[in-house]
Amino acid sequence: MRAVTNSCFLLLFLGLGSAWAQSFPIKDKAITMVVPFTAGGPTDRLARDMAEALRKPLGGAAVVVENALGAGGAIATQKVARAIPDGHTLLIHHIGMATMPTLIRKPPFDVLNDFEYLGMIHEVPMTIVARPTLEANNYKQLSAWVAVQKDKVNLGNAGIGSASHLCGLLWQTATRTEMTTIQYKGVSMAMADLLGGQIDLLCDQTTNTLTYIEARKIKAYAVTGNKRLTQAALKDLPTLQEMGLKGFQVSVWHAVYAPKGLPAETKNKLHAALRSVLSDAAFVQKQEALGALMIVDKRTDPQEHKKFVAAEIAKWNPIIKAAGVYAD
């Protein structure tokens, strides 16, 4: 019986090995790009733009987007960590990849060791925005208003671990204020309540706030990058560093990952495809129009990408621990 069992296991192993060894991408098998957040949000929109742009460099392969929500991004991340490493399951994640090791007390994966790092795509500054009826008209006035109102201020976010949560957390730490945090299941819900005046403030990516700022449906006060932005609706907004928060800099970067154990040839093909997307004029124009900054430095290299995430983990760990917030 043992010999039969061992033979069956060997055949199964050889069969799986044969499947993984097929030339990537496997014919008639779609590539799934897993997104940890809701449809319509900034990460989802980026993933869908990338899915379209990746078809050509991957020989016309179908690339589909799957939203796997929950646990501050951990459900999607774990799903990819456990997937077959054949290149057909990818993860697109933002800064949350570097905060999960602290936000989740016992993460079911090792961010630095359970994934193949494929390279970074773009980074997006954040904007401090408010309901349209807020009386403050510039950042100095807003700062004075917050100082008086304190915990009466309702600061929304898209859920623990989201970009808006992290930005709001760092902003409160830097200004030494404690606002009332309102958590939503996705940025679209938070934005809806901001537009309706149910919450006061939100700190979110320009890719999500720009159209509302341009339409003057919300008020904008500052950007979180290290320099002012060039879009007409944003160019007059100061950076928070200009407003006295020395060293304040938050950009929401996005990158792509695959399960650990990806064959070298497949990893090289995926990395080359991602580099091709970064030079795709239509893709780049679409991202830059929303305020995103394409990453063209060494972080597009898988090894440098991994080094950057390790540094980001070290940056956010003490901030999250001091705030005492966890996703589980």
Side-chain angles (χ1 to χ4, degrees):
M1 176 64 73
R2 181 176 296 173
V4 173
T5 302
N6 288 344
S7 297
C8 290
F9 177 80
L10 180 60
L11 287 171
L12 176 61
F13 179 80
L14 290 174
L16 286 174
S18 176
W20 291 353
Q22 290 184 49
S23 179
F24 173 82
I26 299 171
K27 186 179 180 181
D28 299 327
K29 182 175 182 181
I31 297 167
T32 299
M33 186 172 290
V34 182
V35 176
F37 308 110
T38 55
T43 305
D44 176 77
R45 290 200 299 270
L46 171 60
R48 294 179 191 279
D49 290 343
M50 286 190 63
E52 180 181 345
L54 279 169
R55 288 181 62 89
K56 184 177 179 180
L58 290 177
V63 183
V64 299
V65 173
E66 177 185 332
N67 300 89
L69 315 179
I75 288 176
T77 308
Q78 182 179 15
K79 180 183 180 71
V80 175
R82 294 181 176 179
I84 295 173
D86 62 358
H88 285 264
T89 304
L90 305 175
L91 172 70
I92 182 167
H93 209 326
H94 62 25
I95 191 174
M97 195 71 170
T99 59
M100 284 188 296
T102 307
L103 281 169
I104 302 171
R105 289 185 176 89
K106 295 181 179 180
F109 46 78
D110 185 328
V111 164
L112 292 176
N113 296 306
D114 288 348
F115 299 90
E116 300 288 352
Y117 282 61
L118 298 175
M120 301 183 68
I121 305 302
H122 73 32
E123 54 190 346
V124 184
M126 311 284 279
T127 42
I128 304 290
V129 294
R131 56 180 166 85
T133 55
L134 195 72
E135 50 266 40
N137 292 315
N138 56 50
Y139 184 80
K140 285 186 178 180
Q141 292 178 6
L142 175 67
S143 184
W145 180 80
V146 170
V148 171
Q149 299 295 324
K150 298 181 180 178
D151 61 357
K152 294 179 182 178
V153 178
N154 291 324
L155 174 65
N157 68 53
I160 290 179
S162 66
S164 52
H165 171 233
L166 297 171
C167 180
L169 184 63
L170 189 59
W171 186 35
Q172 290 179 86
T173 300
T175 57
R176 298 181 182 180
T177 57
E178 190 170 329
M179 307 172 206
T180 297
T181 300
I182 310 295
Q183 294 171 5
Y184 293 85
K185 294 181 178 179
V187 71
S188 59
M189 298 174 67
M191 182 59 74
D193 273 6
L194 187 73
L195 291 166
Q198 281 75 43
I199 58 174
D200 300 309
L201 300 170
L202 180 67
C203 180
D204 201 27
Q205 303 172 60
T206 56
T207 47
N208 191 53
T209 61
L210 181 56
T211 54
Y212 297 105
I213 295 171
E214 289 175 332
R216 298 186 178 181
K217 291 184 176 180
I218 56 177
K219 287 188 172 184
Y221 296 94
V223 295
T224 65
N226 55 18
K227 61 182 180 180
R228 294 195 181 200
L229 300 178
T230 59
Q231 288 79 6
L234 303 175
K235 63 183 180 66
D236 292 329
L237 295 182
T239 68
L240 286 177
Q241 292 191 61
E242 287 180 64
M243 301 312 297
L245 301 185
K246 301 301 182 184
F248 193 106
Q249 200 279 329
V250 180
S251 288
V252 181
W253 45 266
H254 282 87
V256 182
Y257 310 80
K260 190 72 174 180
L262 201 64
E265 183 180 355
T266 300
K267 183 175 180 178
N268 290 338
K269 284 185 177 180
L270 282 168
H271 175 59
L274 290 174
R275 291 296 297 266
S276 178
V277 167
L278 292 179
S279 60
D280 182 310
F283 175 82
V284 171
Q285 184 177 15
K286 188 178 294 185
Q287 305 312 308
E288 290 183 342
L290 292 171
L293 305 172
M294 305 308 297
I295 293 176
V296 294
D297 56 40
K298 62 184 181 180
R299 291 174 295 168
T300 59
D301 175 78
Q303 289 184 334
E304 294 297 331
H305 170 198
K306 188 172 183 178
K307 288 180 183 178
F308 176 78
V309 173
E312 286 283 278
I313 292 172
K315 169 186 173 179
W316 285 100
N317 176 276
I319 295 170
I320 294 169
K321 283 187 173 180
V325 293
Y326 298 96
D328 58 340

